[in-house]
Amino acid sequence: KFGDKILKETQVFATSKFGYAFVNLKPISPGHVLVIPKRVALSYTDLNDEELCDIWDLARKVGHAFKTFYQTSCIQYGIQEGKCAGQSVNHLHIHIIPRKEEIL
């Protein structure tokens, strides 16, 4: 589950003890994916240390794999927490976006 949305198994491409990685349905560029905690958490501070370490480790692994797949050395990791920060789904999520100079 991602906020009030149900994730399909086909959307999820990586999992960890406390997290999922899945394709963003509204990507801003090729390879834009999200990592979320399995437990619905609205805020970064709602997660415990074990959950935080786990989802960031999953994000690191996805980013590392994407550097090779998208042939780039640049990955953007980001969190938007709260509506005024641009968060559109009420479930903490980490954006992982492979970047290349020509698309900045």
Side-chain angles (χ1 to χ4, degrees):
K1 191 170 181 178
F2 179 47
D4 61 352
K5 297 164 180 33
I6 303 296
L7 291 176
K8 297 176 184 174
E9 281 187 35
T10 56
Q11 290 174 274
V12 176
F13 65 88
T15 62
S16 62
K17 183 175 180 181
F18 295 107
Y20 297 112
F22 63 98
V23 177
N24 188 338
L25 296 178
K26 297 179 183 177
I28 63 169
S29 67
H32 182 182
V33 299
L34 303 175
V35 169
I36 64 169
K38 290 180 180 178
R39 178 172 69 86
V40 176
L42 301 179
S43 171
Y44 188 79
T45 57
D46 290 341
L47 299 177
N48 64 43
D49 291 346
E50 191 176 14
E51 290 170 315
L52 280 173
C53 288
D54 181 78
I55 65 168
W56 276 110
D57 187 53
L58 180 58
R60 179 187 59 82
K61 290 174 181 173
V62 169
H64 180 73
F66 279 22
K67 281 183 178 181
T68 301
F69 186 82
Y70 287 98
Q71 298 178 332
T72 184
S73 62
C74 303
I75 300 286
Q76 179 180 345
Y77 299 89
I79 294 175
Q80 298 165 302
E81 185 176 304
K83 187 175 182 177
C84 62
Q87 184 178 17
S88 60
V89 176
N90 289 325
H91 188 145
L92 177 73
H93 51 285
I94 302 169
H95 293 263
I96 302 172
I97 307 166
R99 295 291 198 173
K100 293 190 177 184
E101 286 193 34
E102 62 269 14
I103 61 172
L104 288 179

XYZ file of all heavy atoms in Angstrom:
834
model
N 0.844 -1.184 0.000
C 0.000 0.000 0.000
C 0.885 1.242 0.000
O 1.904 1.295 0.677
C -0.902 -0.028 1.238
C -1.981 0.993 1.216
C -2.981 0.758 2.319
C -4.036 1.841 2.183
N -5.087 1.733 3.121
N 0.514 2.233 -0.794
C 1.221 3.500 -0.882
C 0.204 4.605 -0.643
O -0.570 4.951 -1.532
C 1.880 3.628 -2.249
C 2.632 4.913 -2.469
C 3.509 5.399 -1.515
C 2.487 5.621 -3.647
C 4.216 6.577 -1.721
C 3.192 6.794 -3.875
C 4.057 7.269 -2.907
N 0.170 5.115 0.592
C -0.883 6.048 0.973
C -2.211 5.326 0.887
O -2.390 4.269 1.484
N -3.137 5.857 0.083
C -4.429 5.193 -0.094
C -4.465 4.330 -1.358
O -5.496 3.791 -1.719
C -5.564 6.221 -0.118
C -5.446 7.221 -1.258
O -4.411 7.225 -1.957
O -6.395 8.008 -1.444
N -3.314 4.200 -2.018
C -3.240 3.412 -3.251
C -2.716 2.001 -2.971
O -1.870 1.811 -2.114
C -2.316 4.106 -4.262
C -2.818 5.475 -4.693
C -1.722 6.260 -5.347
C -2.121 7.630 -5.815
N -3.091 8.351 -5.081
N -3.233 1.049 -3.695
C -2.766 -0.330 -3.581
C -1.733 -0.573 -4.671
O -2.008 -0.369 -5.855
C -3.944 -1.333 -3.730
C -5.030 -1.066 -2.697
C -3.438 -2.774 -3.662
C -4.609 -1.255 -1.259
N -0.543 -0.987 -4.268
C 0.506 -1.301 -5.247
C 0.254 -2.669 -5.855
O -0.089 -3.614 -5.154
C 1.880 -1.320 -4.579
C 2.442 0.005 -4.102
C 3.756 -0.232 -3.371
C 2.648 0.937 -5.271
N 0.466 -2.765 -7.155
C 0.383 -4.055 -7.833
C 1.748 -4.729 -7.722
O 2.779 -4.060 -7.717
C 0.021 -3.861 -9.308
C -1.336 -3.242 -9.519
C -1.572 -2.982 -10.993
C -2.894 -2.262 -11.180
N -3.085 -1.861 -12.574
N 1.749 -6.041 -7.642
C 3.009 -6.784 -7.561
C 3.918 -6.455 -8.730
O 5.142 -6.439 -8.578
C 2.752 -8.287 -7.516
C 2.322 -8.781 -6.154
C 2.250 -10.298 -6.102
O 3.065 -10.972 -6.755
O 1.359 -10.794 -5.398
N 3.347 -6.170 -9.886
C 4.153 -5.883 -11.067
C 4.861 -4.527 -10.989
O 5.789 -4.276 -11.734
C 3.285 -5.919 -12.343
O 2.193 -5.003 -12.183
C 2.752 -7.314 -12.600
N 4.409 -3.646 -10.101
C 5.049 -2.345 -9.933
C 6.293 -2.442 -9.050
O 7.215 -1.650 -9.192
C 4.082 -1.342 -9.292
C 2.942 -0.914 -10.187
C 1.971 -0.049 -9.430
O 1.068 -0.543 -8.778
N 2.171 1.257 -9.493
N 6.316 -3.381 -8.114
C 7.407 -3.508 -7.150
C 8.537 -4.322 -7.774
O 8.327 -5.426 -8.244
C 6.914 -4.183 -5.849
C 8.064 -4.411 -4.878
C 5.817 -3.345 -5.203
N 9.746 -3.765 -7.783
C 10.875 -4.485 -8.377
C 11.954 -4.838 -7.360
O 12.881 -5.577 -7.684
C 11.479 -3.700 -9.551
C 12.101 -2.395 -9.159
C 13.423 -2.336 -8.767
C 11.359 -1.227 -9.200
C 14.004 -1.136 -8.410
C 11.923 -0.026 -8.842
C 13.245 0.022 -8.453
N 11.852 -4.332 -6.131
C 12.824 -4.688 -5.091
C 12.167 -4.528 -3.726
O 11.315 -3.654 -3.538
C 14.068 -3.812 -5.177
N 12.553 -5.400 -2.813
C 12.016 -5.325 -1.458
C 13.147 -5.510 -0.450
O 14.223 -6.003 -0.780
C 10.944 -6.408 -1.201
O 11.552 -7.690 -1.333
C 9.776 -6.285 -2.133
N 12.860 -5.112 0.760
C 13.761 -5.333 1.886
C 12.880 -5.682 3.082
O 11.658 -5.778 2.946
C 14.591 -4.074 2.162
O 13.744 -2.997 2.525
N 13.472 -5.834 4.228
C 12.691 -6.202 5.415
C 11.583 -5.184 5.695
O 10.471 -5.551 6.040
C 13.618 -6.315 6.628
C 12.923 -6.752 7.893
C 13.906 -6.966 9.032
C 13.187 -7.409 10.296
N 14.133 -7.592 11.413
N 11.898 -3.894 5.507
C 10.932 -2.844 5.851
C 10.509 -1.959 4.680
O 9.797 -0.980 4.878
C 11.501 -1.942 6.960
C 11.705 -2.644 8.264
C 12.983 -2.953 8.700
C 10.633 -3.017 9.057
C 13.194 -3.594 9.910
C 10.829 -3.666 10.267
C 12.110 -3.959 10.690
N 10.954 -2.283 3.458
C 10.651 -1.374 2.368
C 10.387 -2.026 1.034
O 10.636 -3.217 0.828
N 9.865 -1.192 0.123
C 9.609 -1.572 -1.264
C 10.220 -0.518 -2.176
O 10.238 0.668 -1.844
C 8.099 -1.559 -1.580
C 7.238 -2.518 -0.831
C 6.309 -2.066 0.099
C 7.305 -3.884 -1.085
C 5.489 -2.949 0.769
C 6.475 -4.769 -0.411
C 5.577 -4.301 0.515
O 4.765 -5.174 1.183
N 10.666 -0.949 -3.346
C 11.051 -0.022 -4.414
C 10.126 -0.307 -5.581
O 9.895 -1.459 -5.936
C 12.510 -0.239 -4.811
N 9.584 0.755 -6.162
C 8.653 0.568 -7.274
C 8.726 1.732 -8.245
O 9.228 2.804 -7.928
C 7.216 0.361 -6.780
C 6.628 1.529 -6.031
C 5.801 2.431 -6.673
C 6.893 1.712 -4.680
C 5.249 3.501 -5.985
C 6.345 2.770 -3.986
C 5.521 3.668 -4.634
N 8.222 1.485 -9.441
C 8.239 2.469 -10.513
C 7.259 3.592 -10.192
O 6.109 3.342 -9.820
C 7.873 1.795 -11.852
C 7.800 2.811 -12.977
C 8.876 0.693 -12.173
N 7.715 4.820 -10.349
C 6.860 5.981 -10.149
C 5.899 6.079 -11.328
O 6.330 6.057 -12.485
C 7.734 7.240 -10.053
C 6.960 8.472 -9.650
O 5.742 8.544 -9.804
N 7.656 9.451 -9.126
N 4.622 6.196 -11.065
C 3.629 6.281 -12.136
C 3.613 7.652 -12.818
O 3.018 7.811 -13.875
C 2.238 5.932 -11.607
C 2.083 4.492 -11.112
C 0.677 4.258 -10.568
C 2.410 3.492 -12.208
N 4.264 8.646 -12.184
C 4.376 9.986 -12.776
C 5.844 10.407 -12.769
O 6.225 11.357 -12.092
C 3.528 10.982 -11.991
C 2.035 10.696 -12.019
C 1.276 11.713 -11.203
C -0.197 11.379 -11.169
N -0.951 12.302 -10.316
N 6.685 9.694 -13.529
C 8.125 9.990 -13.489
C 8.454 11.345 -14.115
O 7.817 11.755 -15.083
C 8.742 8.857 -14.300
C 7.668 8.456 -15.254
C 6.376 8.639 -14.496
N 9.457 12.028 -13.529
C 9.895 13.290 -14.120
C 11.000 13.064 -15.142
O 11.312 13.961 -15.916
C 10.333 14.320 -13.058
C 11.533 13.823 -12.268
C 9.176 14.656 -12.130
C 12.169 14.891 -11.392
N 11.591 11.855 -15.116
C 12.587 11.470 -16.121
C 12.698 9.947 -16.110
O 12.230 9.289 -15.169
C 13.934 12.130 -15.836
O 14.498 11.631 -14.648
N 13.314 9.362 -17.142
C 13.458 7.899 -17.185
C 14.185 7.370 -15.942
O 15.176 7.952 -15.503
C 14.291 7.662 -18.447
C 14.011 8.853 -19.307
C 13.855 10.002 -18.347
N 13.650 6.312 -15.365
C 14.266 5.693 -14.201
C 13.812 6.246 -12.863
O 14.263 5.789 -11.817
N 12.917 7.226 -12.865
C 12.423 7.811 -11.609
C 11.594 6.774 -10.858
O 10.553 6.337 -11.332
C 11.573 9.039 -11.937
C 11.052 9.766 -10.745
N 10.250 10.865 -10.887
C 11.191 9.578 -9.411
C 9.914 11.329 -9.694
N 10.468 10.543 -8.781
N 12.100 6.344 -9.712
C 11.426 5.334 -8.897
C 11.270 5.840 -7.475
O 11.844 6.866 -7.090
C 12.193 3.982 -8.908
C 12.281 3.421 -10.323
C 13.564 4.122 -8.286
N 10.514 5.094 -6.685
C 10.285 5.452 -5.285
C 10.645 4.286 -4.380
O 10.451 3.131 -4.735
C 8.812 5.812 -5.062
C 8.235 6.941 -5.912
C 6.735 7.078 -5.658
C 8.946 8.247 -5.635
N 11.134 4.625 -3.194
C 11.335 3.647 -2.126
C 10.467 4.102 -0.962
O 10.489 5.281 -0.575
C 12.818 3.561 -1.697
C 12.970 2.740 -0.420
C 13.667 2.957 -2.810
N 9.681 3.160 -0.426
C 8.772 3.487 0.684
C 8.926 2.469 1.799
O 9.303 1.328 1.566
C 7.296 3.510 0.229
C 6.838 2.117 -0.242
C 7.067 4.561 -0.841
C 5.337 1.997 -0.459
N 8.598 2.879 3.027
C 8.520 1.891 4.095
C 7.253 1.060 3.915
O 6.242 1.563 3.404
C 8.452 2.737 5.366
C 7.933 4.058 4.936
C 8.358 4.241 3.506
N 7.313 -0.203 4.292
C 6.121 -1.062 4.202
C 5.013 -0.544 5.113
O 3.843 -0.609 4.779
C 6.483 -2.503 4.566
C 7.351 -3.172 3.515
C 7.701 -4.593 3.909
C 8.560 -5.261 2.850
N 8.956 -6.633 3.227
N 5.411 -0.026 6.248
C 4.444 0.546 7.191
C 4.128 1.968 6.731
O 5.026 2.740 6.412
C 5.055 0.561 8.593
C 4.191 1.159 9.655
C 4.804 0.942 11.026
N 6.020 1.694 11.275
C 6.058 2.950 11.735
N 4.939 3.621 11.937
N 7.222 3.541 11.975
N 2.848 2.309 6.651
C 2.480 3.659 6.249
C 2.954 4.635 7.322
O 2.561 4.541 8.485
C 0.957 3.799 6.029
C 0.599 5.238 5.702
C 0.498 2.871 4.911
N 3.824 5.536 6.923
C 4.347 6.573 7.810
C 4.205 7.898 7.072
O 4.557 7.997 5.896
C 5.808 6.294 8.140
N 3.693 8.896 7.726
C 3.501 10.191 7.083
C 4.774 11.017 7.096
O 5.003 11.830 6.216
C 2.378 10.967 7.772
C 1.000 10.284 7.780
C -0.010 11.156 8.505
C 0.540 9.975 6.376
N 5.599 10.816 8.101
C 6.765 11.659 8.303
C 8.035 10.831 8.467
O 8.001 9.699 8.958
C 6.549 12.511 9.564
O 7.721 13.194 9.929
N 9.148 11.420 8.103
C 10.465 10.819 8.293
C 10.661 10.450 9.758
O 11.219 9.410 10.090
C 11.500 11.847 7.823
C 12.915 11.366 7.751
C 13.355 10.589 6.686
C 13.834 11.723 8.732
C 14.670 10.170 6.598
C 15.145 11.307 8.648
C 15.564 10.533 7.582
O 16.858 10.120 7.501
N 10.174 11.309 10.640
C 10.360 11.083 12.076
C 9.426 10.021 12.647
O 9.568 9.639 13.809
C 10.180 12.400 12.865
O 8.885 12.937 12.578
C 11.248 13.414 12.469
N 8.497 9.528 11.856
C 7.607 8.442 12.302
C 8.292 7.079 12.257
O 7.793 6.127 12.846
C 6.339 8.367 11.429
C 5.410 9.548 11.647
O 5.527 10.229 12.679
O 4.569 9.786 10.760
N 9.403 6.986 11.534
C 10.086 5.704 11.398
C 11.114 5.508 12.511
O 11.733 6.464 12.959
C 10.796 5.623 10.039
C 9.899 5.714 8.813
C 10.738 5.692 7.548
C 8.881 4.593 8.791
N 11.285 4.254 12.897
C 12.323 3.973 13.889
C 13.668 3.806 13.174
O 13.734 3.785 11.946
C 11.949 2.748 14.749
C 11.860 1.460 13.955
O 12.701 1.166 13.110
N 10.822 0.677 14.217
N 14.732 3.693 13.958
C 16.078 3.629 13.375
C 16.255 2.445 12.426
O 16.882 2.578 11.372
C 17.138 3.552 14.476
C 17.250 4.844 15.268
O 16.717 5.877 14.832
O 17.880 4.810 16.348
N 15.708 1.295 12.793
C 15.857 0.103 11.959
C 15.157 0.292 10.607
O 15.698 -0.059 9.554
C 15.310 -1.126 12.686
C 15.659 -2.426 12.022
C 15.192 -3.652 12.797
O 14.363 -3.523 13.729
O 15.647 -4.748 12.441
N 13.959 0.876 10.629
C 13.229 1.133 9.383
C 13.974 2.146 8.512
O 14.112 1.954 7.296
C 11.821 1.649 9.689
C 10.904 0.617 10.293
C 9.614 1.223 10.812
O 9.647 2.277 11.495
O 8.549 0.636 10.536
N 14.468 3.213 9.139
C 15.201 4.231 8.382
C 16.447 3.660 7.715
O 16.686 3.894 6.530
C 15.614 5.390 9.298
C 14.537 6.415 9.607
C 15.039 7.396 10.656
C 14.118 7.147 8.353
N 17.236 2.920 8.493
C 18.450 2.316 7.924
C 18.104 1.374 6.779
O 18.783 1.364 5.742
C 19.228 1.567 9.007
S 20.040 2.667 10.173
N 17.045 0.619 6.936
C 16.651 -0.355 5.923
C 16.210 0.312 4.622
O 16.648 -0.082 3.544
C 15.532 -1.246 6.470
C 15.098 -2.294 5.471
O 15.810 -3.302 5.319
O 14.043 -2.095 4.822
N 15.354 1.327 4.705
C 14.877 1.928 3.454
C 15.979 2.729 2.765
O 16.039 2.768 1.536
C 13.572 2.744 3.601
C 13.753 3.968 4.471
C 12.427 1.858 4.073
C 12.589 4.946 4.422
N 16.883 3.346 3.541
C 17.997 4.057 2.906
C 18.990 3.075 2.286
O 19.587 3.357 1.250
C 18.691 5.004 3.884
C 17.975 6.316 3.971
C 17.257 6.796 5.015
C 17.882 7.308 2.948
N 16.725 8.024 4.705
C 17.098 8.360 3.443
C 18.382 7.406 1.650
C 16.800 9.498 2.687
C 18.088 8.539 0.892
C 17.302 9.575 1.417
N 19.150 1.915 2.899
C 20.016 0.892 2.301
C 19.403 0.398 0.988
O 20.108 0.215 0.002
C 20.240 -0.266 3.270
C 21.256 -1.259 2.750
O 22.381 -0.843 2.392
O 20.934 -2.458 2.688
N 18.089 0.195 0.982
C 17.413 -0.202 -0.255
C 17.579 0.887 -1.317
O 17.879 0.596 -2.473
C 15.931 -0.484 0.017
C 15.073 -0.903 -1.175
C 15.617 -2.152 -1.852
C 13.624 -1.121 -0.718
N 17.414 2.141 -0.930
C 17.588 3.256 -1.870
C 19.014 3.277 -2.425
O 19.222 3.496 -3.627
C 17.261 4.580 -1.196
N 19.995 3.034 -1.577
C 21.396 3.000 -2.014
C 21.625 1.898 -3.038
O 22.267 2.104 -4.065
C 22.312 2.797 -0.805
C 23.794 2.730 -1.150
C 24.625 2.359 0.068
N 24.251 1.076 0.645
C 24.674 -0.103 0.187
N 25.475 -0.176 -0.853
N 24.294 -1.225 0.780
N 21.076 0.714 -2.768
C 21.232 -0.415 -3.689
C 20.574 -0.132 -5.034
O 21.139 -0.433 -6.092
C 20.665 -1.692 -3.066
C 21.496 -2.206 -1.914
C 20.833 -3.377 -1.225
C 21.685 -3.857 -0.044
N 20.994 -4.883 0.733
N 19.389 0.442 -5.012
C 18.689 0.784 -6.253
C 19.493 1.838 -7.017
O 19.724 1.709 -8.220
C 17.259 1.290 -5.973
C 16.624 1.895 -7.218
C 16.390 0.151 -5.430
N 19.948 2.856 -6.322
C 20.744 3.901 -6.967
C 22.011 3.348 -7.593
O 22.375 3.713 -8.717
N 22.689 2.457 -6.889
C 23.915 1.844 -7.416
C 23.618 1.061 -8.706
O 24.338 1.192 -9.700
C 24.533 0.932 -6.360
C 25.785 0.257 -6.799
N 26.979 0.924 -6.942
C 26.027 -1.024 -7.160
C 27.900 0.082 -7.367
N 27.345 -1.111 -7.502
N 22.560 0.265 -8.690
C 22.192 -0.509 -9.878
C 21.809 0.406 -11.036
O 22.148 0.145 -12.192
C 21.036 -1.462 -9.550
N 21.136 1.503 -10.734
C 20.696 2.418 -11.781
C 21.852 3.173 -12.413
O 21.776 3.565 -13.569
C 19.651 3.386 -11.243
C 18.262 2.803 -11.192
C 18.052 1.437 -11.167
C 17.163 3.631 -11.166
C 16.769 0.903 -11.133
C 15.871 3.110 -11.131
C 15.686 1.750 -11.121
N 22.937 3.398 -11.661
C 24.110 4.059 -12.252
C 24.618 3.247 -13.436
O 24.955 3.795 -14.478
C 25.221 4.225 -11.218
C 24.999 5.371 -10.283
C 26.179 5.517 -9.329
C 25.997 6.695 -8.416
N 27.144 6.855 -7.514
N 24.657 1.932 -13.268
C 25.094 1.057 -14.352
C 24.045 0.990 -15.454
O 24.342 1.176 -16.634
C 25.378 -0.363 -13.817
O 26.392 -0.274 -12.824
C 25.814 -1.297 -14.919
N 22.798 0.737 -15.077
C 21.732 0.562 -16.061
C 21.535 1.809 -16.921
O 21.355 1.719 -18.134
C 20.424 0.190 -15.359
C 19.318 -0.154 -16.303
C 19.227 -1.424 -16.861
C 18.366 0.790 -16.660
C 18.214 -1.752 -17.747
C 17.344 0.470 -17.545
C 17.277 -0.804 -18.091
N 21.550 2.996 -16.296
C 21.313 4.237 -17.030
C 22.614 4.916 -17.466
O 22.584 6.019 -17.996
C 20.448 5.198 -16.204
C 19.016 4.734 -16.144
C 18.550 4.020 -15.047
C 18.143 4.964 -17.201
C 17.235 3.550 -15.003
C 16.835 4.510 -17.165
C 16.400 3.807 -16.063
O 15.109 3.353 -16.023
N 23.739 4.262 -17.233
C 25.059 4.752 -17.636
C 25.278 6.202 -17.207
O 25.511 7.097 -18.023
C 25.248 4.594 -19.144
C 25.180 3.143 -19.567
C 25.318 2.973 -21.062
O 24.972 3.844 -21.844
N 25.837 1.820 -21.460
N 25.187 6.408 -15.896
C 25.395 7.744 -15.332
C 26.147 7.624 -14.017
O 26.162 6.568 -13.392
C 24.055 8.468 -15.106
O 24.318 9.797 -14.640
C 23.169 7.762 -14.105
N 26.757 8.698 -13.618
C 27.404 8.737 -12.302
C 26.601 9.605 -11.342
O 27.003 9.824 -10.205
C 28.831 9.284 -12.437
O 28.791 10.613 -12.930
N 25.446 10.082 -11.796
C 24.642 11.020 -11.011
C 23.273 10.434 -10.657
O 22.523 10.021 -11.547
C 24.437 12.312 -11.789
S 25.964 13.108 -12.280
N 22.981 10.427 -9.367
C 21.677 9.977 -8.876
C 21.155 11.035 -7.913
O 21.886 11.512 -7.048
C 21.777 8.628 -8.109
C 22.339 7.523 -9.004
C 20.431 8.239 -7.504
C 21.381 7.005 -10.048
N 19.906 11.400 -8.061
C 19.272 12.338 -7.138
C 18.390 11.546 -6.184
O 17.549 10.753 -6.617
C 18.430 13.357 -7.904
C 17.720 14.350 -7.026
C 16.911 15.338 -7.851
O 17.077 15.462 -9.061
N 16.011 16.037 -7.193
N 18.591 11.756 -4.878
C 17.755 11.156 -3.842
C 17.010 12.299 -3.173
O 17.616 13.317 -2.834
C 18.607 10.458 -2.781
C 19.458 9.322 -3.287
C 20.748 9.540 -3.753
C 18.985 8.015 -3.284
C 21.544 8.503 -4.206
C 19.775 6.961 -3.731
C 21.052 7.220 -4.198
O 21.836 6.186 -4.643
N 15.699 12.135 -2.974
C 14.965 13.227 -2.350
C 13.718 12.795 -1.617
O 13.092 11.796 -1.962
N 13.376 13.582 -0.597
C 12.143 13.387 0.172
C 11.406 14.721 0.208
O 12.003 15.756 0.483
C 12.444 12.935 1.612
C 13.075 11.551 1.625
C 11.173 12.958 2.466
C 13.502 11.082 3.004
N 10.127 14.673 -0.079
C 9.253 15.832 0.064
C 8.274 15.477 1.180
O 7.442 14.591 1.009
C 8.507 16.121 -1.234
C 9.430 16.466 -2.380
C 8.726 16.387 -3.710
O 8.196 15.341 -4.062
N 8.734 17.477 -4.449
N 8.384 16.151 2.304
C 7.530 15.822 3.447
C 6.544 16.949 3.699
O 6.932 18.053 4.067
C 8.387 15.582 4.693
C 7.565 15.114 5.871
C 8.409 14.785 7.071
O 9.325 13.955 6.948
O 8.139 15.357 8.138
N 5.286 16.662 3.468
C 4.231 17.650 3.669
C 3.813 18.311 2.362
O 4.580 18.397 1.411
N 2.575 18.741 2.328
C 1.996 19.328 1.116
C 2.780 20.547 0.636
O 3.057 20.687 -0.551
C 0.534 19.705 1.379
C -0.194 20.168 0.151
C -1.663 20.413 0.434
C -2.364 20.831 -0.836
N -3.796 21.010 -0.625
N 3.189 21.415 1.557
C 3.904 22.627 1.133
C 5.310 22.312 0.625
O 5.934 23.148 -0.029
C 3.936 23.669 2.239
S 4.773 23.165 3.735
N 5.810 21.095 0.864
C 7.108 20.661 0.328
C 6.939 19.934 -1.005
O 7.923 19.507 -1.603
C 7.807 19.750 1.336
N 5.681 19.761 -1.433
C 5.425 19.111 -2.714
C 4.997 17.659 -2.617
O 4.818 17.001 -3.631
N 4.804 17.149 -1.390
C 4.381 15.752 -1.233
C 2.938 15.606 -1.691
O 2.057 16.341 -1.264
C 4.517 15.320 0.223
C 4.201 13.863 0.461
C 4.400 13.460 1.915
O 4.482 14.299 2.811
N 4.476 12.169 2.155
N 2.703 14.639 -2.589
C 1.351 14.454 -3.128
C 0.662 13.192 -2.614
O -0.535 13.039 -2.789
C 1.393 14.433 -4.661
O 2.215 13.380 -5.107
N 1.415 12.279 -1.993
C 0.847 11.059 -1.422
C 1.230 11.018 0.051
O 2.402 11.190 0.400
C 1.373 9.791 -2.140
C 0.845 8.534 -1.474
C 0.991 9.819 -3.618
N 0.259 10.804 0.914
C 0.501 10.791 2.356
C 1.121 9.487 2.828
O 0.501 8.691 3.531
C -0.797 11.071 3.125
C -1.237 12.501 2.979
O -0.417 13.405 2.915
N -2.530 12.720 2.907
N 2.346 9.279 2.394
C 3.142 8.110 2.777
C 4.582 8.515 2.465
O 4.896 8.847 1.317
C 2.734 6.898 1.944
C 3.335 5.600 2.376
N 2.628 4.418 2.287
C 4.539 5.267 2.870
C 3.380 3.422 2.711
N 4.556 3.918 3.066
N 5.416 8.511 3.467
C 6.813 8.886 3.266
C 7.411 8.107 2.104
O 7.198 6.899 1.998
C 7.612 8.599 4.539
C 9.110 8.877 4.428
C 9.368 10.375 4.407
C 9.863 8.217 5.541
N 8.138 8.780 1.226
C 8.786 8.089 0.117
C 10.054 8.817 -0.300
O 10.158 10.033 -0.195
C 7.846 7.894 -1.082
C 7.132 9.119 -1.546
N 6.069 9.667 -0.878
C 7.327 9.890 -2.638
C 5.624 10.717 -1.529
N 6.390 10.888 -2.611
N 11.017 8.034 -0.761
C 12.282 8.554 -1.250
C 12.257 8.476 -2.776
O 12.041 7.399 -3.334
C 13.474 7.727 -0.727
C 13.492 7.694 0.802
C 14.794 8.274 -1.283
C 14.482 6.676 1.382
N 12.457 9.609 -3.411
C 12.569 9.639 -4.873
C 14.002 9.278 -5.239
O 14.955 9.791 -4.641
C 12.273 11.040 -5.415
C 10.871 11.480 -5.226
N 9.919 11.375 -6.218
C 10.244 12.030 -4.154
C 8.775 11.844 -5.769
N 8.944 12.249 -4.518
N 14.166 8.423 -6.227
C 15.476 8.089 -6.765
C 15.405 8.382 -8.263
O 14.583 7.795 -8.973
C 15.835 6.614 -6.523
C 15.805 6.324 -5.024
C 17.200 6.291 -7.127
C 15.954 4.864 -4.689
N 16.243 9.322 -8.699
C 16.163 9.784 -10.083
C 17.558 9.783 -10.703
O 18.411 10.582 -10.307
C 15.572 11.208 -10.147
C 14.238 11.269 -9.394
C 15.396 11.654 -11.602
C 13.743 12.685 -9.118
N 17.795 8.885 -11.663
C 19.066 8.937 -12.383
C 19.128 10.239 -13.187
O 18.140 10.668 -13.781
C 19.011 7.738 -13.333
C 17.898 6.884 -12.839
C 16.952 7.793 -12.134
N 20.287 10.883 -13.182
C 20.440 12.162 -13.886
C 21.591 12.100 -14.875
O 22.590 11.436 -14.637
C 20.706 13.295 -12.896
C 19.564 13.565 -11.950
C 18.400 14.139 -12.682
N 17.484 14.785 -11.747
C 16.440 15.480 -12.124
N 16.171 15.628 -13.393
N 15.659 16.021 -11.234
N 21.428 12.819 -15.968
C 22.495 13.039 -16.930
C 22.538 14.521 -17.211
O 21.502 15.190 -17.198
C 22.239 12.242 -18.218
C 22.330 10.744 -18.005
C 22.318 9.992 -19.309
C 22.493 8.510 -19.046
N 22.576 7.740 -20.268
N 23.709 15.045 -17.463
C 23.850 16.489 -17.662
C 22.928 17.040 -18.742
O 22.371 18.109 -18.587
C 25.296 16.853 -17.970
C 26.156 16.770 -16.746
C 27.496 17.412 -16.955
O 27.597 18.409 -17.687
O 28.460 16.890 -16.372
N 22.728 16.279 -19.801
C 21.919 16.808 -20.906
C 20.442 16.924 -20.584
O 19.697 17.563 -21.312
C 22.124 15.988 -22.188
C 21.715 14.537 -22.080
C 22.849 13.607 -21.652
O 23.883 14.073 -21.179
O 22.671 12.382 -21.804
N 19.955 16.302 -19.471
C 18.533 16.433 -19.137
C 18.290 17.310 -17.918
O 17.207 17.384 -17.413
C 17.855 15.052 -18.946
C 18.476 14.245 -17.817
C 17.806 14.282 -20.232
C 17.743 12.991 -17.453
N 19.315 18.004 -17.459
C 19.122 18.932 -16.321
C 18.585 20.252 -16.776
O 18.739 20.725 -17.818
C 20.442 19.120 -15.574
C 20.882 17.929 -14.753
C 22.223 18.231 -14.080
C 19.870 17.572 -13.700
